[in-house]
Amino acid sequence: MTRKLLGLTVSCLAALLFAPVATATPQAAAPVRLVPEPSSVVTLPGQVFTLKSTAHIVAPAGAAATGQYLAGLLRPATGFRLPVTTISLPEDIGLPGDIRLTLGGPSSLGSEGYRLTATPVGVEVSANASAGLFYGVQTLRQLLPAKVEAKTVQSGPWTVAGVTVRDTPRYAWRGAMLDVARHFFPVPQVEQYIDLMSLYKMNTLHLHLSDNDGWRIDIKSWPRLARYGGSTDASRGPGGFYTQDDYSEIVRYAASRHVTIVPEIDTPGHVTAALASYAPLNCDGVAPPLLNPGWSSLCVPLEITYKWLDDVIGELAAITPGDYIDIGGDEAVNTSAADYKYFVNRLQAIVTAHGKKLMGWHQVEAGDLAGSALADYWGTAGSTDDEALAKVAQARGNKLVLSPADKVYLDMKYDANTPIGQDWAGYNSVQDSYDWDPATFVPGVADDVAGVEAPLWTDVFPTWDDVQFMAFPRLPGVAEIGWSAQRTHSWDAYRTRLAAQGPRWDVMGVKYFRSPDVPW
Ligand code: TNX
C-alpha cells in the first residue's frame, strides 16, 4: 500500500500513525447476496472489512451529497459519528478503515455504473457520476448486516465481505408506478416507496395522479379538482391530495435518491373526478356525482377541454423537472376511435408546448406521436393487438417501457390463496415477476425497449400495509430485470439472494409477503 504523506496535516498524520493496524484477521462476514445481481462480483476469500467508530467517509466535493446520504444511512444503527470529509489531496486514499467515494472511473461505467472494493483496509466506491456512487452505496448497504437498517443503535460488528464489484445497468429505465388516485397515500409513504426502490437501484417513479375515484394534485387555476375531486377514494374514504409544495417535496426527495418522477394525468378516460368537479367539462354541461360508476370520457369536441388541459399540464410541467408528462390514454372505452386520435394529437401539442415529452399507456400509439414519445406497454404475453401497437411505436422510434400485466402488475394476487388483489391477468407469483426477459417479451422490439416498470394499481388496496404486501417481494425482481445482465439470470440463484432481503425488511418494518417460493 503506498500513501502520500507529503502535505498531510499533523493531526491527520497522528491519526494515521495511531489508527488501528488493519489486519486480515478474519471476522465473519455475511455471504455476498445482492439484489440486483451486479455485472461482476469477485470475492476476496478471508478478507473482511469492519466498519469502526473511528471511520470517516471521504468524499470529494462532487460526491459530498452521496457521502452525507451514506453517513445518514449508517449513523442510526452503528451509533458512529462517521464524519464526512472532503480531503482532496492528490492520490490521497484516506486512512485505514475509511469509506472512500471517488469520482472518476473508466468511461465504460457510464453515468450509473460503479466499482466497489472492500478489503480489511477500507472500502472504496468509484464512479463517473454521483448516480453511480449512489448505486455503489446501495451495494455497500446490502453487504452490511441487515440490522444496519435499524433506527436505533445496534451492536456490531459491522462487517463487509472482502469483494470487488464492477456493475453497470442493463436498462436506463427502471421504474415503478404507484396509483395514488384510487387510494391516496401521503408524502411520507411515497418517500418510503422511493427509498425502497432506490435500495434496488430503480430510478423512475411514475405517479398515477388522477382517475375516476380521485384527483390528487392541486391545480391552482382549477382548485375544485383537488378539493372536491380529491375528497374521496375507491373505498368512499376521505381521499386527499398533494399541494404543489407536497409534490415538489416528493420530486426533491426523489432527486436526492436519483429517482425521476413522471406524473400521470389519465385522459381521455378515467376522468370522473375531474368531470364531477367542473360541470363545463361535460358534453351536457352536467357534472356527474363523485364515484359515478362506469366508464368516463372527457368531452373531445368541447374547446374548454383543451383550455383546461393546457392549464393542468402547464402547472404540472412547471413543477416537474423530468422530461416526461404521462397522459394515460388507457381504456378509453367511452371515446370513439376518431375522437381518441384527435384528442391525443391535441394533447401532444399541449405537452410539447410546455417543454415536455409525451408518455402514455401503449394505446396512445393510436395518435400521431412524435419520435420522442414513450409508450408504457401493459399487454400480456402474445396479445396481438397490443403487439401491433408496439410495432407502431417501433416504426416511429418511440421507446417502450415494459409493464406486462401478466408479469409485473403488482396488484395481481400471488396465487389463489392471496387474501387481497386482482386476478384478471392471472396470478403473478414471485417467480413470474422475475422470470422473463424484456428483450423477448414482445417479439421483434428488443432494441426499442427503454426498460421496465412495475405498476401498483390500488383499486382494491386502501392501506399502506396492502401496498407493501403486494410490492414485496416482487418489486426487487422487476428491479433486477431492469438492472442485471441477462447472463446473470437464474431463478434459483435469485430466490436465495432475495431471501437475504427478508431480515432487512424485518428490521425496516416492511410488511412483505413471505412467499413459499422463497427460502427465507
Ligand atoms: C387496468 S392497466 C387499468 C387500471 C386498473 C388495473 C387494475 C391500465 C393501463 N389500466 O386502470 O387499475 O387494470 O388491475
Side-chain angles (χ1 to χ4, degrees):
M1 186 178 66
T2 57
R3 186 177 301 117
K4 242 191 183 169
L5 295 180
L6 201 68
L8 282 177
T9 63
V10 172
S11 64
C12 220
L13 187 57
L16 179 67
L17 294 175
F18 295 113
V21 178
T23 70
T25 309
Q27 249 182 325
V32 176
R33 292 205 180 119
L34 300 167
V35 175
E37 177 68 6
S39 315
S40 143
V41 178
V42 178
T43 51
L44 308 174
Q47 303 214 32
V48 173
F49 170 77
T50 304
L51 184 69
K52 301 264 175 58
S53 63
T54 48
H56 304 83
I57 295 173
V58 183
T66 314
Q68 292 295 350
Y69 167 85
L70 173 60
L73 281 179
L74 301 180
R75 281 174 188 148
T78 62
F80 299 163
R81 280 184 55 238
L82 301 175
V84 180
T85 67
T86 55
I87 296 171
S88 57
L89 292 172
E91 294 174 47
D92 168 65
I93 61 159
L95 300 173
D98 284 351
I99 299 172
R100 184 184 157 87
L101 309 179
T102 59
L103 279 169
S107 61
S108 59
L109 288 178
S111 60
E112 293 192 307
Y114 66 92
R115 273 177 53 96
L116 179 149
T117 307
T119 70
V121 176
V123 174
E124 172 149 15
V125 181
S126 57
N128 287 319
S130 57
L133 283 183
F134 182 81
Y135 297 132
V137 160
Q138 299 307 327
T139 294
L140 174 58
R141 184 179 175 187
Q142 290 191 19
L143 290 169
L144 282 158
K147 63 189 171 185
V148 78
E149 305 295 344
K151 291 287 162 262
T152 55
V153 177
Q154 310 291 307
S155 56
W158 301 104
T159 52
V160 172
V163 74
T164 299
V165 177
R166 186 187 181 284
D167 202 9
T168 56
R170 181 181 186 188
Y171 290 112
W173 191 288
R174 303 177 304 278
M177 187 219 77
L178 190 59
D179 171 7
V180 294
R182 271 50 177 275
H183 289 95
F184 178 69
F185 299 99
V187 174
Q189 293 171 341
V190 176
E191 292 183 347
Q192 188 201 355
Y193 210 70
I194 291 168
D195 276 331
L196 288 164
M197 288 169 60
S198 51
L199 175 55
Y200 301 104
K201 305 185 175 79
M202 297 183 113
N203 64 2
T204 308
L205 177 61
H206 165 184
L207 284 177
H208 185 73
L209 289 170
S210 70
D211 211 297
N212 293 324
D213 316 270
W215 184 282
R216 307 300 178 201
I217 177 74
D218 188 25
I219 301 296
K220 293 177 181 171
S221 53
W222 297 77
R224 265 174 70 81
L225 289 170
R227 279 164 193 78
Y228 181 69
S231 66
T232 190
D233 61 34
S235 302
R236 302 193 170 272
F241 66 89
Y242 306 120
T243 65
Q244 292 197 5
D245 284 349
D246 289 340
Y247 177 85
S248 295
E249 159 60 19
I250 292 171
V251 166
R252 186 203 61 74
Y253 191 88
S256 73
R257 277 129 180 92
H258 298 275
V259 170
T260 301
I261 298 294
V262 177
E264 177 189 351
I265 299 297
D266 203 351
T267 65
H270 291 270
V271 289
T272 302
L275 296 179
S277 302
Y278 285 99
L281 293 177
N282 294 270
C283 285
D284 61 4
V286 179
L290 289 171
L291 301 176
N292 197 32
W295 302 104
S296 56
S297 177
L298 290 169
C299 188
V300 173
L302 279 184
E303 207 47 38
I304 193 175
T305 298
Y306 307 98
K307 163 72 178 132
W308 173 74
L309 283 166
D310 189 52
D311 290 341
V312 169
I313 302 299
E315 288 194 34
L316 201 50
I319 52 175
T320 299
D323 290 342
Y324 293 95
I325 298 279
D326 193 308
I327 64 156
D330 58 312
E331 299 179 319
V333 175
N334 262 8
T335 319
S336 72
D339 274 4
Y340 184 88
K341 181 171 181 170
Y342 172 85
F343 176 84
V344 169
N345 291 350
R346 288 223 34 196
L347 186 46
Q348 173 173 241
I350 291 170
V351 170
T352 307
H354 289 290
K356 297 296 177 186
K357 298 173 183 170
L358 181 147
M359 180 169 180
W361 300 104
H362 66 273
Q363 281 77 16
V364 293
E365 292 294 343
D368 302 308
L369 297 186
S372 59
L374 195 58
D376 198 345
Y377 188 88
W378 62 286
T380 52
S383 162
T384 45
D385 287 359
D386 295 317
E387 288 178 0
L389 285 171
K391 287 288 163 72
V392 173
Q394 177 179 48
R396 287 183 172 142
N398 296 166
K399 296 288 181 217
L400 295 159
V401 172
L402 296 190
S403 310
D406 53 348
K407 295 290 178 191
V408 300
Y409 263 33
L410 303 182
D411 61 327
M412 295 302 128
K413 295 181 174 189
Y414 291 90
D415 58 38
N417 297 322
T418 311
I420 52 173
Q422 315 235 41
D423 60 8
W424 64 259
Y427 303 130
N428 287 339
S429 68
V430 179
Q431 180 169 2
D432 290 331
S433 56
Y434 167 79
D435 224 354
W436 61 287
D437 181 359
T440 56
F441 184 81
V442 181
V445 298
D447 293 340
D448 305 282
V449 173
V452 295
E453 176 181 286
L456 208 166
W457 299 103
T458 61
D459 311 52
V460 295
F461 307 131
T463 73
W464 191 241
D465 280 4
D466 294 342
V467 167
Q468 295 176 69
F469 179 82
M470 300 312 280
F472 292 89
R474 289 182 289 197
L475 187 72
V478 186
E480 173 144 334
I481 291 290
W483 180 279
S484 302
Q486 181 62 18
R487 64 181 160 70
T488 69
H489 192 91
S490 155
W491 164 246
D492 272 340
Y494 172 70
R495 57 205 280 272
T496 306
R497 289 184 285 108
L498 183 60
Q501 306 303 307
R504 201 162 289 271
W505 299 332
D506 290 333
V507 174
M508 297 171 112
V510 175
K511 307 280 179 12
Y512 61 101
F513 169 54
R514 290 183 74 85
S515 164
D517 302 347
V518 180
W520 302 107

